[in-house]
Amino acid sequence: MKKTLLKNIAQLIRVTQQEHGRGNINGAMNELSILHDAAILFSDRFEWIGSSADFPNELSYDQVIDCSGKVILPGFVDSHTHCVFAGDRSDEFARRLRGVSYTQIASEGGGILATVSSVRNASIEELAERGMKLAMEAMNYGTTTIEMKSGYGLSLESELSLLKAIDIVRKEVPIRIISTFMGAHDFPPEYSDDRSTYVDLLINEMLPSIKEQGLAEFCDIFTDTGYFTIHDSMRILESASALGFKLKVHADELTPFGAAEMAGAMHAVSADHLLFCSQEGMKAMKQAGTIATLLPGTAYTLKLQYAPARTMIEQGLIVALATDCNPGSCYTPNMQLILSLACTNMGMSIEEAITASTLHGALALCAEDICGSIEVNKSADFIMLDTHSYPDIVYHFGVNHVQETWAMGKRVV
Ligand code: NIG
Ligand code: FE
């Protein structure tokens, strides 16, 4: 593969594992070491990183790009999205603006179930098309790794269609895509009066079949009031784990439910949302090494309280940031906006937000050895910002600072 040299980089922010990896955080999320006037040599992987003046003459390259006046950062890792779906819920959004709650709309058969009905009437190609459009938008805003969940099918057949659509997106869009099975996103209408039968179906048929087809790496569940109970969540997650799925939990998003405690007890890789997470929940997550994935775009859209990011960081939890891009509670694939919301509304510093949206996102996907930081041998995933000063990404908000996105060594934007 062609070798490229980037030189004269005004600010290079690497977010290394040594500084910010698992076991090394020690409250240091706030510190980012910056290399000035830096250079990077890469093929599909980073091969040399240092200051421009130290670049060894004997190393060869095919092209050189002058990055004077530019910032280079790792590409964003968006570790939580529901980007593959069908239909339109802008009417619900408008109702919520007039004061109707998310829970009220869901109880009338709207919300997740409205999207389920659209998905069941869509073809795999239509689902993939929506996913591709959102993945391309994400890429334009600097995302180079994105997780996508199923969860709007709620039957084996429709969940398979969603996962196959994600697979098509993976082949068509040149960024890394990691997939998650979320058949436990809600109860389908045909089992609304017989919830335990749907739980059995998930355990006995859906999880084994999806595992057999190799369509998802993670299993996620919505553990909250009105959705999956702690007891059912544990049964489903135990079965998923026994089959080899890695675990994620939508935890304490709408109410304080004890879901973070459960996620810790189940050794989930991440617990996500956490708007109503308790002290005990944080303790359980810390003990298990479960990552706290915060999704401030959802609190913003639903006009709910934000997750207690400061307390989590002070208690030494690994905090990641993601979009939650979905048609109901947060319809944006833009990670730059998420950084902005995290800083202004959750009290995170710019440095913490950058760490949380790159290496810590990779940790939430167990992909920290592949992506999330600019280090030798890791995948050459990075973004070039059209500014000489990284704080602009939050300070000068509402504009797209990404001039170029590179994923796996290729310029994709
Ligand atoms: O992460 N909490 C559950 N799932 C999504 C919302 C899904 C929807 O409203 O369509 C979330 O917020
Ligand atoms: Fe979500």
Side-chain angles (χ1 to χ4, degrees), residues 10-275:
Q11 293 181 335
L12 169 63
I13 296 174
R14 304 174 57 194
V15 199
T16 62
Q17 299 236 55
Q18 201 191 345
E19 280 177 299
H20 299 291
R22 199 182 271 287
N24 299 329
I25 60 160
N26 298 328
M29 254 183 99
N30 199 24
E31 284 154 34
L32 277 183
S33 50
I34 303 167
L35 267 178
H36 298 273
D37 194 7
I40 301 177
L41 178 72
F42 63 93
S43 53
D44 58 338
R45 294 176 179 276
F46 294 117
E47 298 190 358
W48 188 92
I49 300 160
S51 80
S52 292
D54 295 340
F55 184 72
N57 281 331
E58 64 273 18
L59 292 182
S60 65
Y61 45 86
D62 304 291
Q63 61 174 344
V64 57
I65 300 175
D66 179 41
C67 298
S68 307
K70 310 288 179 198
V71 171
I72 301 278
L73 285 180
F76 295 122
V77 179
D78 187 352
S79 64
H80 181 140
T81 85
H82 310 248
C83 275
V84 172
F85 60 86
D88 179 337
R89 282 161 56 198
S90 55
D91 54 334
E92 286 183 8
F93 178 69
R95 284 184 70 202
R96 283 205 310 272
L97 291 179
R98 295 195 296 271
V100 186
S101 74
Y102 182 81
T103 324
Q104 172 64 28
I105 290 169
S107 75
E108 295 164 7
I112 294 171
L113 294 183
T115 303
V116 169
S117 131
S118 308
V119 163
R120 288 180 173 185
N121 288 312
S123 66
I124 295 181
E125 291 69 30
E126 285 166 334
L127 297 171
E129 205 167 305
R130 182 70 72 105
M132 278 189 274
K133 187 161 188 293
L134 286 166
M136 301 285 276
E137 286 173 4
M139 190 170 94
N140 289 332
Y141 284 98
T143 296
T144 50
T145 296
I146 190 167
E147 182 256 17
M148 292 188 179
K149 305 176 197 295
S150 69
Y152 290 118
L154 310 186
S155 68
L156 178 57
E157 191 196 344
S158 306
E159 287 293 310
L160 283 172
S161 298
L162 287 162
L163 291 168
K164 286 177 187 162
I166 293 174
D167 214 35
I168 297 176
V169 181
R170 179 180 294 116
K171 287 174 186 131
E172 297 293 326
V173 180
I175 59 175
R176 187 174 298 99
I177 293 175
I178 294 177
S179 57
T180 296
F181 168 62
M182 199 178 176
H185 196 189
D186 200 348
F187 292 88
E190 59 276 21
Y191 290 103
S192 60
D193 297 326
D194 188 10
R195 291 186 158 202
S196 67
T197 306
Y198 185 61
V199 173
D200 291 341
L201 187 76
L202 276 164
I203 292 174
N204 299 324
E205 290 180 34
M206 294 167 83
L207 279 167
S209 168
I210 278 138
K211 187 69 209 174
E212 195 186 301
Q213 301 191 48
L215 285 167
E217 201 175 310
F218 286 86
C219 174
D220 197 345
I221 187 162
F222 190 8
T223 305
D224 215 318
T225 304
Y227 295 87
F228 290 82
T229 62
I230 298 285
H231 175 77
D232 287 344
S233 300
M234 289 178 80
R235 276 186 64 207
I236 294 164
L237 292 175
E238 266 161 22
S239 307
S241 173
L243 286 167
F245 287 97
K246 289 173 257 185
L247 309 181
K248 290 186 169 287
V249 181
H250 276 61
D252 306 319
E253 174 182 358
L254 305 171
T255 59
F257 198 65
E261 289 87 325
M262 188 274 298
M266 295 299 302
H267 290 274
V269 174
S270 72
D272 303 31
H273 286 290
L274 303 166
L275 277 56

